Amino acid sequence: MASSSSSSKTGLKKMLTLKSSDGDEFELEESIVIQCQTIKHMVEDGFSLIPLQNVDTKTLTKIIEYMKKHAEKTESNKEEIKNFNKEFVKGSFDDQFELVSAANYLHINGLMDLLCQSIADRINNKSVRAVREIFNISNDYTPDEEEKVRDEHKWAHEGGEFDESLD
Amino acid sequence: MAKGDGDRFTNLPEPLLLHILSMLRNSTEVVRTSILSERWRYLWKSVPLSLDFPFPQYPYDVNINTKKVLAYIASTNRELHYFRSCEKIKAFRVFPYKYRDYLTKDVDFWVHFATKIAGVEEFTLQFYWMCFPDYAYKFPQFAYRNTSLRNLVLGNCQLNPTGSVSWSSLVSLSIGDVALPEGVMEKVLLGSPNLECLELDKVGGIRRLEISSVKLRKLIITNYETEVAEEVVYWLEIFAPYVRHLELSGLCSDEIRFQLRNVASLVTAVLSLSVDFHELEDEKDKLEKECRYFQELLHCVSHVENLELGPWCFECLSILELQGWVFPPSSWKFLKLNTALVLLDFPGIWSFLPSSQDLQTLVIDWNNHKPRDLLSRYTNKDERSKWFKTHKFNCSLLHLKTIKVINFDGPLSGNKSVVPLVKYLLKNATVLEKFVIAAKFEGRDVPKDYVKMAQEFQSFPRSSPHASVVFSY
């Protein structure tokens, strides 16, 4: 709320338009969008309408939500941002993979790290079977091959109980 | 699904998969992903790995014997062998328990592995225990010349380079529990031209620390009474004209006392040290000397923007205020005080408020359990009550925007020190934006007192219309 009232007051901010792969356009303040390195470079080259062929409307909406929130970041609202981040990574993995690819393409490092860490946290300490199931990874090893690979790194699979649950 | 026709996760671009793998909790987890599917088989080898080998037992456990130490060495060596086929090992951290002769060759091998084979950026070699001051692992001569290391942490290792030192990429260096022979610190500093952060934790033998590199911005010195005994008390003179962040902590009694000679560029100072002039017999002389010493320290850091004061410093502050010392004007914007505001502490907090015209943020960390023995010994009740009666609480807090009280515990209603202070600050801080009191509350039942006080706080009059008051528990 605070940010929308302060920005409408000034009114002189430079605006940019982002266009998703579905053709939808989003108008945003430059100061928000330059968190994204790819766009920052385009702005420096004089573009004000930025077509994003690899990002669909659904993903772009989420990314804009992230950039808007993080543009408000100050010394005193760290807790608020932390909670926002926690909520932000709660979507399905398909959505997260879509987002992480887009964040990678757009070079938004903070978002990349946030999503990668959230995915990594779901792998930690899980059994191989659980990881495959959680992320829907198709196992294309033959049983013999799989046994061979397991044997190669036997030491890494030993010792320690791995979590079989899917949550 | 047909072979090779991967899923959504597996089809992510390789740099992204590597980034995700690099964020796994440990390197063994990274290796385990090789079994997920064919695409993952060799991926782990390209992940920059951190190899951590914490000692598997609480290191101060009395039941640790040679057998356990040898088992630690064997398992560490085994894993290193397994990981040798990785393309990049970023970090290697080992914590052998205590130095013994039979460890020398293995530890030499680890240093060799880190500096010559893997070329790691981060290396930690930390012995938990020291046997005798003169009996410690000698950091090998070949490791004094290295180009890959960026962060180096050495604990309980003897440093004594025979030639010059060349750590050309080193950015951060931490040395702990050691007495340095004369001239070693100079050699290390001279050979580390890119050093930005230096941490000395219980390091003896330095009389004069002269930091002339413009790049070295952060200096952290911790001192405690250690077995690295010194015959006489000596002063550690610090010349660090370019350092921007300085932390002094620990107890300085019979070994080292700091003397800040030049810290002109300092922006942040953390003074959480405690000083005891134990050699003086007369209690009064001792206190006098301690307070003067604190005054001097404070004078040296009066130009900083951010200041943190620990319990001992805060006690001195209170005593000085009771003595009638007028606090010189300061330019502090951020001030953190480590004090649970008991009534005795009040002179301390009032002493600087009038002179801190630029103050924007005030943080009070309640986590202070040091008895106020100096204060109660030095001052008597009459003196203190006289101060409370005669003191004029009068200061303008023109720039104060944020006040935080953290780790608060204890009852609140009827608290004679906190509630009046909260009221005073709310009334006088005209541009206040946020007043937060965060209670360190563990357990299920929230004290009724807190619920009541949280509501009561909202009713206190405040001069800044935008101030939000939050009491969280």
Side-chain angles (χ1 to χ4, degrees):
Chain A
M1 278 217 306
S3 76
S4 63
S5 63
S6 65
S7 56
S8 63
K9 257 182 244 163
T10 43
L12 282 168
K13 301 238 161 107
K14 199 177 159 196
M15 302 302 279
L16 291 175
T17 306
L18 305 185
K19 193 172 171 182
S20 77
S21 60
D22 304 319
D24 292 312
E25 293 186 359
F26 298 84
E27 203 183 30
L28 287 159
E29 278 171 29
E30 186 188 286
S31 61
I32 290 173
V33 183
I34 53 169
Q35 291 176 65
C36 156
Q37 292 296 317
T38 309
I39 298 180
K40 194 178 168 196
H41 293 143
M42 291 182 78
V43 173
E44 282 161 6
D45 290 341
F47 287 87
S48 61
L49 172 70
I50 293 158
L52 301 168
Q53 276 130 10
N54 293 340
V55 189
D56 62 22
T57 298
K58 189 182 167 196
T59 310
L60 187 56
T61 313
K62 280 288 271 182
I63 286 182
I64 289 171
E65 186 196 335
Y66 174 90
M67 289 197 294
K68 274 188 175 164
K69 190 73 202 177
H70 279 253
E72 292 171 14
K73 195 152 65 179
T74 61
E75 270 299 301
S76 55
N77 67 356
K78 278 182 187 154
E79 197 64 23
E80 198 183 319
I81 299 274
K82 219 170 105 188
N83 291 334
F84 170 86
N85 285 350
K86 225 159 125 187
E87 287 299 315
F88 193 83
V89 294
K90 273 188 179 164
S92 76
F93 280 114
D94 273 347
D95 290 347
Q96 286 198 38
F97 294 142
E98 207 58 59
L99 276 170
V100 82
S101 306
N104 183 38
Y105 163 68
L106 293 169
H107 288 279
I108 311 173
N109 293 340
L111 181 58
M112 269 266 287
D113 287 350
L114 174 67
L115 291 161
C116 288
Q117 188 63 62
S118 144
I119 294 166
D121 286 347
R122 292 298 299 276
I123 301 176
N124 275 329
N125 209 34
K126 290 278 178 192
S127 74
V128 173
R129 202 184 57 83
V131 175
R132 279 189 192 136
E133 203 140 323
I134 290 168
F135 293 100
N136 202 15
I137 294 171
S138 37
N139 174 17
D140 53 4
Y141 282 127
T142 64
D144 283 354
E145 276 174 341
E146 184 174 334
E147 201 39 53
K148 207 181 129 204
V149 179
R150 183 182 291 273
D151 201 51
E152 247 172 62
H153 310 301
K154 212 170 160 191
W155 55 280
H157 295 280
E158 281 168 351
E161 296 277 303
F162 299 114
D163 185 3
E164 291 283 351
S165 70
L166 303 180
D167 47 48
Chain B
M1 210 174 267
K3 196 167 171 142
D5 185 16
D7 51 276
R8 191 74 190 81
F9 190 6
T10 303
N11 282 339
L12 288 178
E14 186 166 309
L16 262 179
L17 286 179
L18 294 177
H19 195 58
I20 292 169
L21 287 178
S22 74
M23 287 178 152
L24 287 176
R25 196 185 43 174
N26 64 43
S27 301
T28 319
E29 294 273 2
V30 181
V31 179
R32 284 176 56 231
T33 60
S34 60
I35 204 169
L36 289 173
S37 75
E38 271 198 38
R39 171 81 201 278
W40 295 82
R41 184 165 181 176
Y42 301 109
L43 220 47
W44 68 275
K45 293 195 179 189
S46 313
V47 179
L49 292 179
S50 293
L51 306 183
D52 290 306
F53 299 95
F55 198 73
Q57 231 170 321
Y58 179 61
Y60 304 107
D61 190 332
V62 286
N63 294 320
I64 296 173
N65 52 29
T66 310
K67 211 172 134 191
K68 285 175 178 156
V69 178
L70 286 173
Y72 171 79
I73 293 170
S75 76
T76 303
N77 287 342
R78 252 190 332 262
E79 279 206 34
L80 284 184
H81 184 68
Y82 285 128
F83 278 112
R84 74 192 187 286
S85 60
C86 290
E87 275 170 31
K88 176 142 185 70
I89 295 168
K90 213 177 104 199
F92 176 40
R93 300 183 187 94
V94 269
F95 302 85
Y97 168 65
K98 174 157 66 174
Y99 180 65
R100 287 279 184 246
D101 285 335
Y102 64 78
L103 285 173
T104 312
K105 282 183 180 163
D106 291 288
V107 181
D108 278 347
F109 164 65
W110 294 339
V111 179
H112 187 261
F113 177 83
T115 59
K116 302 285 173 190
I117 300 174
V120 297
E121 290 172 18
E122 291 179 36
F123 180 47
T124 296
L125 172 59
Q126 171 104 49
F127 290 89
Y128 289 108
W129 282 85
M130 175 170 39
C131 301
F132 307 101
D134 297 333
Y135 182 71
Y137 175 69
K138 292 183 183 69
F139 197 64
Q141 294 299 329
F142 66 79
Y144 287 109
R145 305 190 79 80
N146 176 284
T147 53
S148 63
L149 281 172
R150 289 175 57 82
N151 303 320
L152 178 61
V153 179
L154 298 172
N156 274 315
C157 297
Q158 266 184 35
L159 289 177
N160 198 0
T162 48
S164 61
V165 175
S166 173
W167 286 331
S168 55
S169 304
L170 201 65
V171 174
S172 133
L173 173 66
S174 169
I175 307 173
D177 300 279
V178 68
L180 293 180
E182 215 185 315
V184 169
M185 198 66 238
E186 285 83 347
K187 273 188 186 177
V188 168
L189 287 172
L190 196 67
S192 316
N194 290 305
L195 202 62
E196 289 171 17
C197 174
L198 176 64
E199 188 172 352
L200 302 173
D201 185 3
K202 290 164 266 170
V203 174
I206 309 171
R207 297 287 188 276
R208 185 185 159 96
L209 183 62
E210 191 161 355
I211 295 171
S212 50
S213 162
V214 184
K215 286 191 179 167
L216 210 156
R217 296 296 179 88
K218 193 168 178 179
L219 178 62
I220 301 170
I221 307 180
T222 310
N223 185 64
Y224 288 99
E225 284 178 273
T226 61
E227 291 159 65
V228 192
E230 292 282 339
E231 299 277 309
V232 284
V233 181
Y234 68 89
W235 293 87
L236 166 58
E237 292 181 284
I238 299 172
F239 295 81
Y242 305 110
V243 164
R244 296 172 69 83
H245 180 113
L246 174 72
E247 286 178 37
L248 299 178
S249 62
L251 175 68
C252 307
S253 63
D254 49 3
E255 282 161 26
I256 306 171
R257 277 169 210 146
F258 307 115
Q259 206 149 32
L260 299 177
R261 291 296 190 201
N262 183 350
V263 284
S265 309
L266 219 54
V267 178
T268 300
V270 178
L271 305 179
S272 48
L273 73 171
S274 169
V275 180
D276 183 358
F277 283 80
H278 73 110
E279 68 272 25
L280 298 175
E281 276 172 20
D282 185 76
E283 285 292 319
K284 200 140 190 175
D285 288 352
K286 213 167 116 169
L287 279 162
E288 190 67 12
K289 192 104 190 217
E290 283 179 26
C291 285
R292 294 296 150 256
Y293 177 71
F294 169 69
Q295 259 178 310
E296 267 170 47
L297 271 183
L298 207 59
H299 177 72
C300 295
V301 300
S302 63
H303 59 292
V304 302
E305 275 184 27
N306 314 306
L307 180 69
E308 289 188 39
L309 296 179
W312 176 81
C313 292
F314 196 75
E315 232 180 331
C316 289
L317 206 60
S318 291
I319 294 170
L320 286 167
E321 167 66 27
L322 287 171
Q323 287 181 342
W325 180 53
V326 180
F327 212 82
S330 70
S331 54
W332 304 327
K333 289 187 176 141
F334 173 97
L335 191 60
K336 184 175 172 185
L337 304 169
N338 188 215
T339 172
L341 285 173
V342 296
L343 213 52
L344 275 174
D345 294 335
F346 260 67
I349 201 150
W350 286 112
S351 65
F352 67 84
L353 278 180
S355 63
S356 306
Q357 295 278 340
D358 298 334
L359 197 64
Q360 292 175 4
T361 306
L362 173 64
V363 180
I364 296 172
D365 186 349
W366 211 261
N367 198 4
N368 170 8
H369 303 291
K370 182 184 182 292
R372 312 296 192 271
D373 45 359
L374 283 181
L375 255 169
S376 43
R377 233 185 305 151
Y378 175 74
T379 57
N380 60 46
K381 257 195 168 149
D382 295 342
E383 263 182 288
R384 292 198 296 264
S385 58
K386 193 177 141 214
W387 180 85
F388 276 100
K389 271 183 206 147
T390 56
H391 190 81
K392 288 195 186 67
F393 300 102
N394 178 15
C395 51
S396 50
L397 306 161
L398 294 176
H399 302 285
L400 193 59
K401 287 185 183 156
T402 310
I403 304 170
K404 279 187 197 169
V405 180
I406 56 173
N407 292 316
F408 177 82
D409 60 5
L412 250 184
S413 60
N415 188 320
K416 287 202 181 95
S417 49
V418 179
V419 178
L421 181 72
V422 172
K423 280 187 177 165
Y424 183 87
L425 292 171
L426 279 174
K427 208 170 135 194
N428 290 280
T430 47
V431 296
L432 191 69
E433 290 170 4
K434 209 166 185 180
F435 197 133
V436 183
I437 301 181
K440 188 175 64 181
F441 172 68
E442 284 159 14
R444 287 197 179 169
D445 301 315
V446 177
K448 282 195 186 117
D449 177 40
Y450 282 14
V451 182
K452 198 182 111 217
M453 284 313 289
Q455 289 165 347
E456 210 169 300
F457 278 149
Q458 304 301 332
S459 67
F460 294 162
R462 56 194 85 166
S463 59
S464 165
H466 305 297
S468 75
V469 181
V470 182
F471 178 48
S472 68
Y473 44 81

